[in-house]
Amino acid sequence: MSRNSFIYLSLMSDKKEGSIESQIFRLTNRIIKLTYHFRTHGKDYSSQRGLWKILGKRKRLLAYLFKTDLMNYQDLTDQLGIRRLKKSDY
């Protein structure tokens, strides 16, 4: 649980509550929680659908952040440890 543990709010302490960065941060935490849930409940298909919806929303927010503020996008993906978008996604 060292690298994949929940990401703490200390990373996002200087961000506003409803900003794009904080929304991506919260969605990433929900994704991590659902990933742990699927280790024991692998056939929970309704939760899998919810996970796909969350992933899609985070992807759209990341694409928007990439288009509007590239430096902030790069910092956020480095801090959260998530992959960057493919060229066809933005």
Side-chain angles (χ1 to χ4, degrees):
M1 254 184 147
S2 61
R3 177 78 167 82
N4 288 332
S5 62
F6 297 114
I7 302 163
Y8 295 106
L9 286 173
S10 62
L11 293 174
M12 301 301 292
S13 61
D14 59 339
K15 302 294 179 189
K16 292 184 179 177
E17 191 79 18
S19 68
I20 299 296
E21 296 87 359
S22 66
Q23 290 180 45
I24 293 171
F25 166 77
R26 285 191 177 86
L27 289 173
T28 302
N29 271 340
R30 288 179 65 191
I31 290 168
I32 292 171
K33 287 180 186 179
L34 281 172
T35 304
Y36 285 124
H37 171 75
F38 290 132
R39 289 187 181 171
T40 55
H41 306 284
K43 294 187 178 184
D44 188 357
Y45 297 117
S46 54
S47 293
Q48 285 179 11
R49 181 173 186 267
L51 176 63
W52 284 109
K53 291 175 74 90
I54 293 169
L55 287 169
K57 183 164 181 88
R58 184 178 76 171
K59 183 178 174 182
R60 289 190 302 273
L61 288 171
L62 283 169
Y64 174 78
L65 187 62
F66 178 82
K67 291 176 186 175
T68 57
D69 190 1
L70 181 61
M71 293 299 290
N72 206 358
Y73 166 79
Q74 291 172 344
D75 290 340
L76 185 65
T77 53
D78 290 339
Q79 284 180 352
L80 295 178
I82 56 177
R83 289 186 297 175
R84 300 207 174 153
L85 297 172
K86 297 177 186 174
K87 293 210 182 250
S88 63
D89 291 337
Y90 47 87

